[in-house]
Amino acid sequence: MSISTPKESAQAPMPLTREQLLELERAPRTPRQVVLDYVICASPLLMGALALAEYLYIPNLKGNTSTGTYVVFIGLLMTALGAAFIAALFRRSVFDALRYKAPFYSFVFILLAGYDYLTLKTGSLMLPFFPWVDQVLCAMLEDWQYLLECSLNSLILLGTGYFTGAGLGLATGIACGYNRRINYWIAPFIKLLGAIPSATWLPVVMVLAASLFKGSVFIIALGVWYSVTIATLTGITNIDKSYFEAARTLGARGRQLVFRVALPFALPSIFQGLTQGMSSACTALLVAEMIGVESGLGWYITWQKSWAFYGKLYAAIVLICIIFVLVNLALALIKKRVLRWQVGMVQE
């Protein structure tokens, strides 16, 4: 009597490796796909030309005046994108980056053209609350020295508070994560202070602090301290105990366990806390400058609002956005550099 063998079950498809994915990306593309890629790369230039045409050929609403500053601004953006497009013709890395970013750049030009049409051309968004882009640019050029001074003051305050809070947060997180006794006494205060937004302490701190600057530093540092402390504590407590046992077997003791085992494995979590702390610091910075500090971009916004100079107010808001983007970009680059040994494991 013959015994029938069962059919072999179909094997599940194996996931593609990184090398296989790169090989697929390098696969030859059809002529239609190549043309489409180049059209997408050139789309920001087309949208920039459309924004210029909207500004130059659609008449302004009666009483609305403009200068050539907006034309120069759009022209500079198009020049930079044109240079990137030319470079993309010769370098694959530039082409890939431009291909990825081009739809967003096109959308920015569409937003600029739409906002200009709703303000300067039709007045659907009325003055003084909605100045057109040309007014904002002229305000930046007119008051650039004062805006630069306020930006430097904001950066000094932000940096002082951020690095103070980050340093204290690292120390607290390491101590609580590595020592149970310290964690027993400190953890309740961490939970208590973490539940209270740092800006809540502003009225009290501004009265008790020796100066408005020191009080603002405390407010900024408090939010950063909590984020970094929790992230560091979480990163250290989640480390597999076998790593510490292996390190002790090899002769590691005390500081070596902290700096050679605990911190390296907790770095991804620490950088998450640093990123979150930067967000808290930026928010606390603006609150402190608008309420207490007599310098900085937050104070400048409040000052211009009191005089209804909304063009200058929007100029300061644009500068704040640029500064915060650059600060977070610098932090992301540092994170990428420090965690380069975890390529493919850490989410960017």
Side-chain angles (χ1 to χ4, degrees):
M1 183 176 180
S2 61
I3 300 176
S4 59
T5 59
K7 295 182 179 180
E8 296 182 357
S9 59
Q11 294 183 352
M14 297 294 293
L16 296 177
T17 63
R18 185 171 183 269
E19 290 74 15
Q20 290 173 329
L21 290 173
L22 291 175
E23 186 177 350
L24 287 175
E25 291 179 357
R26 299 190 191 100
R29 305 173 67 83
T30 64
R32 182 178 179 181
Q33 290 174 326
V34 173
V35 172
L36 179 61
D37 286 342
Y38 279 104
V39 170
I40 292 175
C41 288
S43 61
L45 296 174
L46 300 176
M47 293 300 103
L50 178 64
L52 277 179
E54 179 273 335
Y55 181 80
L56 294 174
Y57 296 109
I58 296 180
N60 299 341
L61 184 67
K62 185 178 180 179
N64 289 350
T65 59
S66 59
T67 65
T69 307
Y70 181 77
V71 176
V72 175
F73 173 69
I74 296 294
L76 290 175
L77 293 180
M78 292 182 65
T79 301
L81 289 170
F85 182 78
I86 294 174
L89 299 177
F90 302 97
R91 296 192 62 179
R92 182 67 187 183
S93 59
V94 179
F95 179 85
D96 292 338
L98 183 60
R99 170 65 176 79
Y100 177 74
K101 292 288 187 179
F104 176 76
Y105 296 150
S106 301
F107 182 65
V108 170
F109 281 118
I110 293 174
L111 286 180
L112 289 173
Y115 183 79
D116 188 72
Y117 180 79
L118 293 175
T119 52
L120 178 63
K121 304 301 181 181
T122 63
S124 299
L125 301 177
M126 299 177 61
L127 289 174
F129 303 106
F130 297 99
W132 43 88
V133 180
D134 190 80
Q135 284 186 321
V136 176
L137 294 174
C138 289
M140 294 180 71
L141 294 176
E142 177 186 350
D143 218 15
W144 70 270
Q145 291 181 328
Y146 208 52
L147 284 170
L148 178 60
E149 180 182 349
C150 290
S151 300
L152 292 176
N153 291 334
S154 293
L155 284 173
I156 292 173
L157 181 56
L158 177 65
T160 305
Y162 180 78
F163 288 112
T164 301
L168 294 175
L170 280 173
T172 307
I174 293 172
C176 293
Y178 197 71
N179 191 301
R180 292 183 178 180
R181 293 182 180 179
I182 296 178
N183 184 57
Y184 173 82
W185 292 103
I186 301 297
F189 292 98
I190 296 176
K191 296 177 181 179
L192 175 64
L193 295 176
I196 305 174
S198 57
T200 307
W201 298 96
L202 190 61
V204 178
V205 171
M206 289 305 177
V207 174
L208 299 179
S211 65
L212 295 176
F213 180 83
K214 293 180 180 179
S216 300
V217 168
F218 174 81
I219 294 298
I220 296 171
L222 182 61
V224 180
W225 168 81
Y226 175 74
S227 299
V228 177
T229 297
I230 293 298
T232 306
L233 176 60
T234 303
I236 292 178
T237 54
N238 288 338
I239 298 175
D240 193 340
K241 303 303 179 184
S242 61
Y243 291 114
F244 289 104
E245 295 174 359
R248 290 191 182 97
T249 303
L250 296 174
R253 295 290 183 274
R255 295 181 180 179
Q256 290 180 327
L257 292 174
V258 174
F259 294 103
R260 297 298 180 90
V261 180
L263 277 182
F265 279 92
L267 275 178
S269 179
I270 291 174
F271 271 101
Q272 292 294 334
L274 290 172
T275 304
Q276 184 179 356
M278 179 58 71
S279 177
S280 301
C282 293
T283 303
L285 170 70
L286 291 180
V287 173
E289 288 182 340
M290 288 181 175
I291 297 179
V293 182
E294 297 181 354
S295 63
L297 290 173
W299 169 82
Y300 182 89
I301 289 175
T302 304
W303 178 43
Q304 297 301 335
K305 179 186 175 183
S306 64
W307 290 96
F309 292 155
Y310 285 90
K312 295 182 178 181
L313 183 149
Y314 278 87
I317 292 176
V318 171
L319 274 180
I320 289 172
C321 294
I322 294 174
I323 290 174
F324 287 176
V325 167
L326 292 178
V327 168
N328 282 284
L329 178 61
L331 185 60
L333 291 176
I334 295 173
K335 174 184 175 181
K336 184 177 180 180
R337 175 68 177 175
V338 174
L339 300 181
R340 62 188 183 277
W341 52 276
Q342 287 193 339
V343 174
M345 298 174 59
V346 180
Q347 185 177 0
E348 299 295 338

